[in-house]
Amino acid sequence: MARNSLRPTPNQTFRILHDREAKGSALDFSRELARSHKAVAEGRYEEACEVRFRAVQELVELLPEDEVVEFDMEDGATRDAAELLYCSAVDFFLVGDLEMAAAQLETLLDVDGDDHLEATPLLAFVYVAMGEWDSFDDVVPDLADKSPEKALLMLWSRFLREGTIDAAELASLRRFHAPYLREWCAEEHPSDGRHLADMASEHPSKEARARELWLQTEPLWIEHQAFIKALRESAQ
């Protein structure tokens, strides 16, 4: 039977090996990732989500229940499996299934402790949206201190916990991440040709990166209009 297996490396990490020569039906994670990307490119988003989730289910079954294994993220096939986890978590995040998104992101960080795919910021946003304050407080130290994500998260989490926009947090966002403050206060956030071209350039502008983060997290702000309203009023 064709099967996937975890093979240890001398660095105490593991690679996923897919036996292509044997007969059977085990999924090739690299092939499934490519299939999902092709489906997205052709506008078949539901199919892409299904492909990724089916692959993630098989990946989770491959992982041992009684120990944490660290993936060798330098290995292409293993990294592809990890990327499937991240993409599936984003799928669930976008449809509002935060518990499933959190579970998949937590699994990803278990196998990729160095967070090569930068899952930590999205997980932190999910924790705040879920009101999982202990989990959020645990993950905050893993956020880059000078990142706009951390600045926004601290401002939003303080608002949800205390009901006000913290003046010091707002001043920090205005000083160090002004394009993000403008984006969060804007009435419209079009993903138009100009934005896409900017993001596709070698060095996207801060304004384009701010809009991209808004678009990636937009379901949260649709749900939490009170925060956006309070932020706009405080930023005037």
Side-chain angles (χ1 to χ4, degrees), residues 27-86:
L27 295 178
D28 181 327
F29 295 121
S30 294
R31 184 177 298 172
E32 295 306 290
L33 181 63
R35 279 186 61 205
S36 73
H37 288 334
K38 185 174 187 292
V40 169
E42 295 175 354
R44 294 178 282 114
Y45 301 109
E46 184 174 348
E47 179 182 338
C49 293
E50 292 174 352
V51 167
R52 290 191 282 251
F53 183 53
R54 184 170 62 251
V56 165
Q57 287 178 306
E58 184 159 323
L59 175 61
V60 170
E61 290 180 1
L62 180 64
L63 299 175
E65 295 183 0
D66 55 349
E67 63 178 311
V68 174
V69 299
E70 183 79 14
F71 279 0
D72 176 8
M73 295 294 283
E74 298 300 316
D75 176 65
T78 306
R79 188 183 181 98
D80 287 345
E83 187 173 339
L84 279 164
L85 252 177
Y86 181 78

Side-chain angles (χ1 to χ4, degrees), residues 75-139:
D75 176 65
T78 306
R79 188 183 181 98
D80 287 345
E83 187 173 339
L84 279 164
L85 252 177
Y86 181 78
C87 291
S88 185
V90 171
D91 292 337
F92 281 103
F93 169 77
L94 292 175
V95 298
D97 191 338
L98 299 183
E99 290 187 2
M100 183 64 80
Q104 292 189 347
L105 291 168
E106 289 165 352
T107 300
L108 176 56
L109 289 171
D110 282 342
V111 300
D112 178 26
D114 291 334
D115 196 11
H116 292 81
L117 300 181
E118 299 183 357
T120 300
L122 180 57
L123 181 58
F125 277 112
V126 170
Y127 282 152
V128 174
M130 295 173 66
E132 294 288 347
W133 300 120
D134 288 343
S135 297
F136 174 68
D137 291 340
D138 287 343
V139 82

